[in-house]
Amino acid sequence: MTAPVLQPQPEVDVAGGTPAWLVCDGCRRMIYGRRFVRGGHVCPECGWHARLTAAQRVDLLLDEGSAEIVATPVTAADPLGFVDTRPYADRLRAARASTGMPEAVLVARGTIEGCPVVTAVMDFRFLGGSLGAAVGEAITGACEIALRERTPLLLVTASGGARMQEGALSLMQMAKTAQAIGQLDEAGILTVSLITDPTFGGVAASFATLTDVIVAEPGARLGFAGARVIEQTIRETLPPGFQTAEFLLEHGVVDLISPRPALRPTLARLLGVATRRPTSAPASTVHDAAPGREVVREPEHLVQRHPWEAVRLARRLGRPSALDYIGALVEDWTELHGDRAAADCPAMVAGLGRLDGTPVVVIGTQKGHTAAELSARAYGMPSPGGYRKAARVMRLAAKLGLPVITLIDTAGAHPGIEAEENGQAVAIAQNLRLMAGLPVPVVAVVTGEGGSGGALALAVADRVLMCANAIYSVISPEGCAAILWKDPAAGPDAAAALRVDARALLTAGIVDGVIPEPDGGADVDPLGAADALRAALTSTLAELVPLDPPTLVSGRRARFRRFGTPTTPTPATPITAPPATAPSVPAARPPMGGHRSTADLDEARRSS
Ligand SMILES: [Zn+2]
């Protein structure tokens, strides 16, 4: 693998170990040496990230004076007596002499902005950062220290892959390190990897990608097979940017890309949330709602109106989106991306942060306020990858013991060929089962449209709330009208018959409470709406956080078990009032229209 290397210019002065001038291998421009070093060895002209030694990396990441290097065990060198064009023992000796390191990894304890961390940092200079027995032993040792001391683990990877000169023993290091990460998962300890250029083969296919959060430096390449091998095998030219961090973010493999100067705050935010540092802001002073009034639990306290009115209000483009609410309510937010398989669905957002000081995981469907935003967010209709991203982040919440908050505003799961090819139904079904068993508090809020299974896939919760102008329905009213009335214009009749509004759903016990909206609706006063949501969430979490996992899970299962039993309450008053105004065209419909075609459903009914 060839990678750019910064070349000191021999004709310029060299002072203090830093060449006065360098040539960037990214843009070939001359860079002033001191400026380059001050910027973390990043080219100030083009942003190219030069490789760092393990020692430079530890200096860059850990708080000054906090690093304590942990001696790694010496393992049998050259177990096979391997000789290629040169004896392996000679290569090892040369690598030790040129790097001053005993092996290709450095293990250290320390802090990042005050947050304790155990770190193992690979050094590509040492035989290409290859994974031999000593490296596997050091990585595993770092995992074991993190486990013993219950401290988050940070792995900084740079490697060409397994070390061939150690044969199958090197291959076994993949399994050994993978199981060490698995033990940290069982113990609920956060693991983070920082992918640096390049990370390939056995390292990419073991500890580098098994961590809870995968952060990558810009341009860093990660993959199993190298680009040259792939090109020779498939005899095709690879797309530009193939295997770079940016490519992998788009394909759901990495969570986020952080430029080197932003790494410390990025990592500190994550570590801080996971290690539950005490809150700085007292929870109860942030909002002034009277205790117990944050959520309406009596249907008669809600205005009675035609459900079609609620449908039109719920679809208003100005209503706050999940990211609007998160921006207003969640501190130290880190958005996580990707399903770790194939995609990063733009219609689903998920991440970690704090709500009034309490660490939480927040997951939401994301629409937008303009045509361009809606298109970029797939009209808020998640793909299977979106549901799998949500599931992955829920499992992380379960691992770390963090409450889960879901914010739901979707017309439904995305209907499309690709969604079906990728198992949309399976992804939704698996979320229902996963959520039912999550050992942490789960609060779901329908903030706008709660459309069908695509909404329920985020709403199997201990408490299900909805905003006063939201709707929640088994199918869109238009879809129902098209099938049963044979006339999509009968949407208002269908909305009334389906009882999709907050008052009806509270009466039926489908939702546990309704969050009041500012006069005129959430879109008129988004900050007021966010305050109301904050009050509802904090008071609901205050009820749930003290409960132990078995109590939460059994309560949640009982909540959903009761639907359809003979004791389930049903609304008493029929809805007769017609809508006050003519039905408006729905604000934003995806190009494909409703959920399913009439023909499909007719066929389904005939066959059932
Ligand atoms: Zn450059």
Side-chain angles (χ1 to χ4, degrees):
M1 174 162 325
T2 55
V5 177
L6 274 175
Q7 302 291 353
Q9 294 304 99
E11 66 273 26
V12 297
D13 291 337
V14 174
T18 304
W21 291 92
L22 306 155
V23 173
C24 168
D25 249 15
C27 63
R28 308 302 307 174
R29 274 180 278 212
M30 295 283 284
I31 333 167
Y32 182 49
R34 290 215 171 94
R35 193 172 164 212
F36 166 74
V37 171
R38 266 202 313 274
H41 297 242
V42 176
C43 171
E45 301 294 332
C46 72
W48 177 69
H49 284 52
R51 274 183 201 152
L52 295 182
T53 68
Q56 285 170 331
R57 181 68 69 175
V58 166
D59 277 351
L60 184 105
L61 287 179
L62 297 186
D63 294 337
E64 210 178 332
S66 78
E68 178 204 332
I69 304 300
V70 178
T72 48
V74 179
T75 58
D78 197 12
L80 304 182
F82 192 94
V83 179
D84 48 273
T85 56
R86 199 176 154 193
Y88 173 45
D90 284 0
R91 290 186 189 275
L92 270 178
R93 264 194 297 279
R96 283 175 184 149
S98 67
T99 61
M101 295 174 67
E103 257 297 343
V105 64
L106 189 63
V107 176
R109 282 189 195 86
T111 55
I112 300 177
E113 295 190 1
C115 302
V117 69
V118 174
T119 186
V121 181
M122 303 186 79
D123 194 317
F124 194 77
R125 295 172 308 155
F126 196 109
L127 299 178
S130 53
L131 174 62
V135 171
E137 190 62 25
I139 299 284
T140 305
C143 292
E144 287 167 353
I145 295 170
L147 182 64
R148 206 164 50 238
E149 300 177 2
R150 298 201 63 81
T151 303
L153 176 77
L154 170 65
L155 300 173
V156 184
T157 62
S159 175
R163 191 172 294 177
M164 288 172 283
Q165 294 91 338
E166 295 187 17
L169 187 63
S170 157
L171 187 66
M172 294 306 117
Q173 304 310 310
M174 293 169 66
K176 180 165 108 181
T177 52
Q179 71 190 17
I181 298 277
Q183 286 177 287
L184 290 169
D185 291 339
E186 289 161 18
I189 293 163
L190 179 74
T191 57
V192 179
S193 28
L194 171 59
I195 306 297
T196 76
D197 189 70
T199 297
F200 275 91
V203 168
S206 64
F207 55 90
T209 52
L210 285 175
T211 50
D212 297 319
V213 180
I214 302 178
V215 183
E217 286 197 326
R221 290 161 302 158
L222 172 134
F224 185 59
R228 221 179 312 149
V229 172
I230 298 171
E231 269 182 331
Q232 283 165 4
T233 308
I234 65 171
R235 294 172 194 285
E236 279 174 39
T237 307
L238 296 170
F242 184 67
Q243 293 180 322
T244 59
E246 294 74 12
F247 175 93
L248 296 168
L249 182 70
E250 202 180 309
H251 288 89
V253 177
V254 308
D255 280 291
L256 55 130
I257 297 171
S258 176
R260 203 169 280 166
L263 272 174
R264 275 170 49 82
T266 298
L267 293 169
R269 252 196 321 275
L270 273 170
L271 297 172
V273 168
T275 49
R276 301 186 219 192
R277 280 192 300 184
T279 167
S280 52
S284 55
T285 58
V286 182
H287 60 85
D288 52 9
R293 300 293 177 102
E294 299 88 351
V295 177
V296 178
R297 296 181 197 280
E298 303 298 332
E300 53 270 29
H301 294 161
L302 295 169
V303 291
Q304 186 152 24
R305 62 178 169 209
H306 194 278
W308 188 250
E309 180 73 15
V311 172
R312 293 188 304 122
L313 289 172
R315 289 175 179 169
R316 280 194 188 165
L317 277 187
R319 287 181 74 79
S321 68
L323 286 176
D324 293 331
Y325 281 124
I326 288 164
L329 302 182
V330 181
E331 310 116 61
D332 291 339
W333 170 249
T334 301
E335 185 175 347
L336 304 178
H337 291 272
D339 62 357
R340 286 279 204 281
D344 181 42
C345 172
M348 185 75 79
V349 295
L352 304 156
R354 291 168 206 271
L355 178 73
D356 282 0
T358 303
V360 290
V361 155
V362 184
I363 299 168
T365 56
Q366 176 67 23
K367 283 185 183 170
H369 303 299
T370 63
E373 284 174 6
L374 283 162
S375 169
R377 294 286 180 180
Y379 298 88
M381 305 176 95
S383 65
Y387 291 107
R388 292 187 178 120
K389 168 165 67 175
R392 174 172 84 80
V393 178
M394 285 186 217
R395 282 189 216 100
L396 176 60
K399 169 180 165 175
L400 298 176
L402 305 182
V404 174
I405 294 166
T406 64
L407 303 175
I408 299 154
D409 182 12
T410 179
H414 193 270
I417 294 169
E418 205 182 331
E420 295 301 319
E421 285 172 345
N422 294 325
Q424 183 71 285
V426 178
I428 291 170
Q430 289 184 342
N431 272 22
L432 304 182
R433 180 176 58 188
L434 171 70
M435 291 190 81
L438 282 181
V440 291
V442 185
V443 181
V445 183
V446 182
T447 61
E449 287 185 277
S452 188
L456 182 63
L458 292 185
V460 183
D462 301 307
R463 298 287 184 274
V464 181
L465 309 176
M466 67 190 290
C467 294
N469 294 336
I471 56 167
Y472 193 10
S473 178
V474 66
I475 183 170
S476 72
E478 294 90 338
C480 177
I483 296 162
L484 297 179
W485 276 256
K486 313 282 181 204
D487 176 9
D493 296 329
L498 289 167
R499 299 171 191 269
V500 298
D501 62 302
R503 187 179 160 116
L505 292 163
L506 184 60
T507 305
I510 301 292
V511 301
D512 304 299
V514 175
I515 304 171
E517 292 194 25
D519 290 342
D523 46 321
V524 173
D525 178 10
L527 285 179
D531 279 343
L533 178 61
R534 180 205 304 274
L537 289 173
T538 48
S539 70
T540 307
L541 284 178
E543 287 171 41
L544 297 173
V545 165
L547 305 179
D548 62 14
T551 308
L552 286 166
V553 172
S554 63
R556 196 180 310 138
R557 287 184 174 155
R559 184 189 186 282
F560 287 89
R561 174 66 182 84
R562 76 170 196 266
F563 292 117
T565 60
T567 52
T568 304
T570 49
T573 41
I575 294 155
T576 50
T581 50
S584 65
V585 176
R589 301 284 86 199
M592 301 196 59
H595 294 247
R596 291 162 286 192
S597 77
T598 309
D600 287 348
L601 279 157
D602 281 348
E603 190 177 340
R605 280 204 312 279
R606 275 196 300 276
S607 60
S608 61

